[in-house]
Amino acid sequence: LKVVDGAFKKYNESADSSVQIIKSDFIIAANDQTGNDEMLKQFKESKVNLQVVRALDTAVLIEKDQNTKAHGLIFPQKMMNDVLVVMDIGPGYIKEYNDKCENESDKILMFDRIVSVKGEVGKAANLKKLLEKATGKFQLGIQRPCPEQAFLAGMFRFW
């Protein structure tokens, strides 16, 4: 995915490559507003100041036996690009996995992006099929916003 004509492309043309907007970035605030609904409202304004963070790539190892129920993840009705966005986590083996995790960072969270299933990448619809067919031990590749503690400590760039 490349940045097409518009404000982000214009920004990228003049920004240092280390702070250009890239495919995996997360917008975490627009005009100091957070939350999807509030941020979307800001794009009706004539000027929008964004806070953007890089994605943190991680992976989780899941185990699903043949008799286990469905994964329980809810995805947008209209899936786009090459990620599955977790909109909610209902009853299923993912919720059971999360319940066993001691650390929040080990869990699959709402708004995580699933970028691979069993090491395979592809369009969102294909990732969903792979997830629904997966059994045994398998890995999910996840992207999520860089944690606030990391960029406040200077470990990652935040702009």
Side-chain angles (χ1 to χ4, degrees), residues 78-141:
K78 185 176 180 183
M79 295 183 290
M80 298 171 42
N81 300 321
D82 51 358
V83 298
L84 282 173
V85 179
V86 177
M87 301 306 292
D88 202 1
I89 303 169
Y93 67 87
I94 299 295
K95 183 174 182 339
E96 292 172 2
Y97 162 83
N98 279 352
D99 290 344
K100 294 176 186 173
C101 291
E102 292 182 24
N103 299 315
E104 191 73 10
S105 62
D106 294 335
K107 296 179 179 182
I108 296 172
L109 306 172
M110 282 181 50
F111 307 116
D112 276 354
R113 299 173 184 159
I114 298 175
V115 296
S116 66
V117 178
K118 298 179 91 170
E120 293 189 44
V121 296
K123 296 290 181 195
N126 188 52
L127 290 173
K128 185 178 179 193
K129 287 178 190 173
L130 289 169
L131 181 60
E132 289 168 351
K133 292 179 184 177
T135 58
K137 284 188 178 182
F138 63 96
Q139 184 174 342
L140 292 178

Side-chain angles (χ1 to χ4, degrees), residues 4-149:
V4 294
D5 289 337
F8 290 137
K9 184 174 184 181
K10 186 177 179 182
Y11 168 81
N12 280 354
E13 288 171 350
S14 62
D16 183 79
S17 61
S18 66
V19 293
Q20 290 180 354
I21 303 295
I22 60 175
K23 172 183 170 180
S24 58
D25 286 346
F26 284 83
I27 298 172
I28 60 168
N31 292 339
D32 296 321
Q33 299 295 311
T34 59
N36 288 343
D37 292 339
E38 291 303 313
M39 287 193 296
L40 283 173
K41 289 178 189 174
Q42 299 308 307
F43 285 93
K44 294 177 182 171
E45 301 294 325
S46 61
K47 184 174 180 179
V48 181
N49 290 309
L50 300 176
Q51 289 181 323
V52 178
V53 295
R54 295 286 190 224
L56 175 69
D57 291 309
T58 190
V60 296
L61 187 62
I62 301 291
E63 186 165 8
K64 178 190 180 234
D65 63 39
Q66 296 285 356
N67 301 322
T68 306
K69 53 187 126 310
H71 53 71
L73 297 177
I74 308 297
F75 305 114
Q77 285 186 341
K78 185 176 180 183
M79 295 183 290
M80 298 171 42
N81 300 321
D82 51 358
V83 298
L84 282 173
V85 179
V86 177
M87 301 306 292
D88 202 1
I89 303 169
Y93 67 87
I94 299 295
K95 183 174 182 339
E96 292 172 2
Y97 162 83
N98 279 352
D99 290 344
K100 294 176 186 173
C101 291
E102 292 182 24
N103 299 315
E104 191 73 10
S105 62
D106 294 335
K107 296 179 179 182
I108 296 172
L109 306 172
M110 282 181 50
F111 307 116
D112 276 354
R113 299 173 184 159
I114 298 175
V115 296
S116 66
V117 178
K118 298 179 91 170
E120 293 189 44
V121 296
K123 296 290 181 195
N126 188 52
L127 290 173
K128 185 178 179 193
K129 287 178 190 173
L130 289 169
L131 181 60
E132 289 168 351
K133 292 179 184 177
T135 58
K137 284 188 178 182
F138 63 96
Q139 184 174 342
L140 292 178
I142 305 286
Q143 283 182 343
R144 62 177 53 130
C146 174
E148 184 177 11
Q149 308 90 302

